[in-house]
Amino acid sequence: MSDTEELMQLVTRERQYRVRHEDAKLAAQYWPDAAVETSWQRGGVQSFVAHAPAEMDTGLPIITRVCGPVVHQRSATRAYIEVPTISNYWERLHGKEVVLTEYMRLLDRAEKRDGIWKLAGMLSIYESDSLAPAIPGTALTIDPEALKGLRHPYRFLAYTRLEAGGQISQDLLGIDQPDALAAAYQEAEAWAKAGA
């Protein structure tokens, strides 16, 4: 298997194990010193595996579809991979079952150590989201005033998180911040080029 094929399999497996709650297999896709930044946590991989944000009910399904990953291998031992994803989260909001659809791009960093590729980092980039009742015909009313101040790339994610009693930063990386987005890619590029 080529490095590109191996890296594409690595990022796809990581997403599968995450939504299936296969924590040991998920952890095995990362180096122990990996850093993970999502909407609900920023830190080491240990704080990511087997944890979830406030609005998540692990009894309800999560379905993620990974679009074709784009591999940017810049050295023999380092690459960054763009992974477009579409995730559907079944949640409870105002006593009703809803589906949050989240369009994201993951910016994964992969490093080859002792001949093995694993993830050294993951950064979530928010593109857009939507919210709908899980059961057609169910009324779901949200006061537009409650969405004011929430950034467009993840406003419904933020809304459901806050309604569940959780917290969310309004400084997450999103496509509405082109300068910050360009800087993140430049940093990933420099990191990948610095490999052996």
Side-chain angles (χ1 to χ4, degrees):
M1 189 181 303
S2 70
D3 282 343
T4 297
E5 291 169 319
E6 196 167 335
L7 288 163
M8 291 175 75
Q9 287 294 307
L10 172 65
V11 297
T12 304
R13 280 195 312 268
E14 188 275 344
R15 288 292 83 194
Q16 282 187 332
Y17 295 146
R18 175 65 180 161
V19 299
R20 294 177 184 172
H21 307 290
E22 295 185 53
D23 298 330
K25 290 180 180 178
L26 175 64
Q29 307 312 301
Y30 288 89
W31 292 113
D33 58 350
V36 178
E37 290 187 40
T38 69
S39 67
W40 54 275
Q41 78 99 47
R42 180 178 294 172
V45 68
Q46 300 83 3
S47 61
F48 173 65
V49 174
H51 296 88
E55 79 277 11
M56 295 305 230
D57 179 341
T58 55
L60 295 174
I62 302 171
I63 297 176
T64 295
R65 290 294 174 255
V66 174
C67 304
V70 179
V71 175
H72 304 272
Q73 186 174 358
R74 299 297 186 244
S75 64
T77 60
R78 286 187 178 181
Y80 68 94
I81 307 105
E82 299 174 85
V83 187
T85 66
I86 302 168
S87 296
N88 293 308
Y89 302 88
W90 276 255
E91 301 176 1
R92 300 192 199 292
L93 178 69
H94 305 160
K96 297 172 183 170
E97 190 177 333
V98 298
V99 180
L100 172 67
T101 300
E102 189 175 301
Y103 300 89
M104 272 192 333
R105 188 184 329 158
L106 303 178
L107 192 56
D108 288 339
R109 293 183 186 196
E111 190 167 13
K112 193 179 216 178
R113 301 179 190 172
D114 297 324
I116 299 169
W117 284 105
K118 288 191 181 188
L119 295 175
M122 181 181 76
L123 173 63
S124 300
I125 300 170
Y126 296 87
E127 298 179 326
S128 184
D129 65 1
S130 63
L131 187 66
I135 300 171
T138 302
L140 176 63
T141 304
I142 297 174
D143 182 356
E145 290 294 314
L147 299 177
K148 283 192 175 175
L150 303 180
R151 288 178 43 219
H152 191 272
Y154 58 98
R155 63 181 168 183
F156 295 112
L157 169 65
Y159 178 77
T160 56
R161 175 84 42 84
L162 295 169
E163 287 293 303
Q167 298 177 345
I168 190 165
S169 171
Q170 285 303 302
D171 295 322
L172 301 177
L173 188 57
I175 61 170
D176 59 337
Q177 298 175 326
D179 291 344
L181 192 58
Y185 275 91
Q186 288 167 5
E187 190 178 313
E189 183 78 17
W191 178 86
K193 286 180 176 175

